[in-house]
Amino acid sequence: MLSAPGKLIIDLAAIQGNWRRLSEKLPSATQCGAVVKANAYGLGVAHVAPALAAAGCKTFFVSSLTEGIELRKLISRDAIIYVLHGFELGNESEFYAYQLRPVLFSMALIEQWMKWIEQAEKFVPAAIKVNTGMNRFGVELDEFMQFAAIATQFMQNSTVLILSHLACAEERQNPLNAEQLSQFEQVKALALKVNSKLSFSLANSSGIFLGQNWHYDLVRPGAALYGVNPTPESTNPMSAVVSLNLKVLQVRQLKKGECIGYGHCYQAPKDMPVAIAGGGYADGIARVLSNQTQGFFNAKPVPLIGRVSMDAVAFDLSAVAQQQEQVNFIELIGEHQCVDSLAKNAGTIGYEILTQLGQRYEREYRVSKS
Ligand SMILES: *Cc1c(COP(=O)(O)O)cnc(C)c1O
């Protein structure tokens, strides 16, 4: 693998399988989309999006215009692409050129978009995001009432989708889920009076698992496609997608009482063989993992010891002392340690682990063996 700090394997067949599994959970009238923002959660949109399209996905969500343009070049013109962060004044025509649909999250954006459509005499369908309790983006229900004339005109002519986002969907019992649902129901009732052809979308990955009431016409999973557990309170229903093996650069012997790495923050309680492996915080192995996680060799845990450096980490090989000569890779993410458990050790969530995975690894994309 030449000089890469490790090997990152991304299983495209597993992503496709996860998308199909989610699709199968849905009522037949509900479509399963895919969120591929942030370079498909760090996994490589150029590989992931075409794989999802091949599995049958027709609707994609990205964050920005730049991501939308990149995605449009990767998939066919028929695929629908929504841009979650809407448009900015001056870049409207790019949405038309690349057939991207802006998600409009304020009355001001809606008015600006309407103005542009009228002036340019071009039609690009748009989505409206409404706030039902996340309080991040979105038009408020009472703003719809206040700007009823504009809202009505826009929903009649230019809107195809109304969406909202759940704030606590991964906590099944959180009362906010039902509150957001009931808010969204009100929005839906209001919107349908204006235009009966509108579609609705509420659920992210975890929202899908809250049940059919949350499904509406279109669901928007991201994390679950990439193997992150959408139901953290129970076992992961999704297949693992990512594995990361760090390359061992040196095996050395640490004597009892010796310390290792920056800050000498680990002292050997006994003589031990130690592996120095490639990969560090520059590759997304968070520095807070210093002394806080483990790797695996031959299914045996090998604790990560001392500070995570920019480009290197150390592992205590005591558990595999007999085989220390053969230790050339250490599994950091894989069969024995999933993305979610590594995230837990780092005090974060799987989403952050995935999106931080570095660019220096050798990347292998697995496709289904058919
Ligand atoms: C990121 C995002 C999603 C996907 O969420 P996951 O939890 O990764 O499934 C869905 N909808 C919106 C609006 C988002 O920003």
Side-chain angles (χ1 to χ4, degrees):
M1 74 157 66
L2 304 168
S3 64
K7 185 163 181 177
L8 184 62
I9 300 168
I10 295 156
D11 190 342
L12 295 174
I15 295 177
Q16 292 173 315
N18 285 339
W19 185 84
R20 286 194 197 98
R21 195 169 309 163
L22 294 177
S23 303
E24 284 158 14
K25 281 184 71 68
L26 304 171
S28 58
T30 303
Q31 248 202 62
C32 190
V35 180
V36 295
K37 63 195 180 193
N39 194 26
Y41 289 47
L43 301 187
V45 69
H47 298 269
V48 170
L52 285 166
C57 181
K58 295 182 168 60
T59 303
F60 295 84
F61 292 84
V62 293
S63 282
S64 65
L65 172 62
T66 309
E67 289 181 353
I69 293 174
E70 182 187 13
L71 176 58
R72 178 55 79 204
K73 291 174 178 167
L74 295 166
I75 54 176
S76 87
R77 295 297 285 190
D78 329 327
I80 292 171
I81 303 175
Y82 286 100
V83 176
L84 291 166
H85 285 184
F87 72 98
E88 284 167 56
L89 283 181
N91 65 23
E92 297 91 337
S93 58
E94 308 241 39
F95 282 79
Y96 179 75
Y98 291 96
Q99 292 295 300
L100 306 172
R101 300 180 175 188
V103 175
L104 307 176
F105 47 82
S106 70
M107 287 311 300
L109 274 182
I110 289 175
E111 283 185 79
Q112 285 162 4
W113 186 252
M114 274 171 76
K115 214 180 275 170
W116 181 77
I117 291 180
E118 277 167 32
Q119 279 166 6
E121 295 183 347
K122 289 188 170 127
F123 179 72
V124 185
I128 297 178
K129 191 169 198 182
V130 294
N131 179 32
T132 55
M134 168 79 116
N135 298 329
R136 195 178 55 167
F137 298 107
V139 179
E140 304 291 334
L141 194 55
D142 53 8
E143 282 182 290
F144 270 141
M145 315 287 195
Q146 205 183 329
F147 299 92
I150 299 167
T152 303
Q153 192 195 344
F154 194 66
M155 283 195 274
Q156 276 169 348
N157 301 321
S158 310
T159 313
V160 286
L161 179 71
I162 307 259
L163 65 91
S164 190
H165 197 32
L166 298 165
C168 302
E170 70 285 0
E171 297 165 13
R172 251 199 110 69
Q173 302 306 328
N174 195 311
L176 187 65
N177 296 321
E179 281 169 36
Q180 290 198 259
L181 184 71
S182 118
Q183 284 275 320
F184 199 59
E185 280 295 313
Q186 287 182 50
V187 172
K188 182 178 170 183
L190 206 85
L192 282 180
K193 274 193 215 145
V194 175
N195 178 354
S196 62
K197 292 205 195 81
L198 286 171
S199 292
F200 297 86
S201 173
L202 181 59
N204 64 338
S205 298
S206 297
I208 296 171
F209 291 83
L210 293 175
Q212 290 209 356
N213 287 348
W214 279 263
H215 292 167
Y216 293 93
D217 302 301
L218 171 69
V219 295
R220 312 183 306 271
L225 299 173
Y226 312 120
V228 171
N229 188 357
T231 57
E233 296 157 333
S234 42
T235 51
N236 193 348
M238 313 315 297
S239 299
V241 166
V242 169
S243 50
L244 175 60
N245 292 319
L246 302 179
K247 184 161 70 176
V248 171
L249 303 167
Q250 184 173 41
V251 173
R252 56 189 304 115
Q253 311 302 320
L254 201 60
K255 292 210 175 62
K256 181 178 174 180
E258 284 183 332
C259 296
I260 189 166
Y262 285 115
H264 264 193
C265 69
Y266 179 84
Q267 185 174 36
K270 56 181 193 302
D271 291 358
M272 58 169 68
V274 169
I276 310 301
Y281 56 78
D283 304 292
I285 305 173
R287 191 165 171 276
V288 291
L289 286 168
S290 302
N291 284 322
Q292 295 300 324
T293 192
Q294 64 211 335
F296 284 84
F297 180 75
N298 269 355
K300 296 233 172 62
V302 292
L304 187 159
I305 55 172
R307 284 267 162 82
V308 173
S309 319
M310 187 183 291
D311 314 299
V313 276
F315 296 93
D316 165 11
L317 294 186
S318 301
V320 292
Q322 310 308 316
Q323 303 149 285
Q324 57 179 284
E325 307 299 319
Q326 300 148 39
V327 183
N328 44 14
F329 280 96
I330 288 177
E331 173 196 314
L332 192 65
I333 301 172
E335 199 186 331
H336 305 95
Q337 181 160 257
C338 65
V339 171
D340 294 299
S341 7
L342 186 66
K344 193 159 177 248
N345 295 343
T348 183
I349 52 174
Y351 297 66
E352 192 175 29
I353 298 287
L354 293 183
T355 52
Q356 295 304 309
L357 287 168
Q359 295 306 313
R360 297 194 291 186
Y361 298 118
E362 177 193 349
R363 288 186 177 220
E364 181 188 325
Y365 288 91
R366 295 243 160 107
V367 291
S368 65
K369 316 162 205 77
S370 56

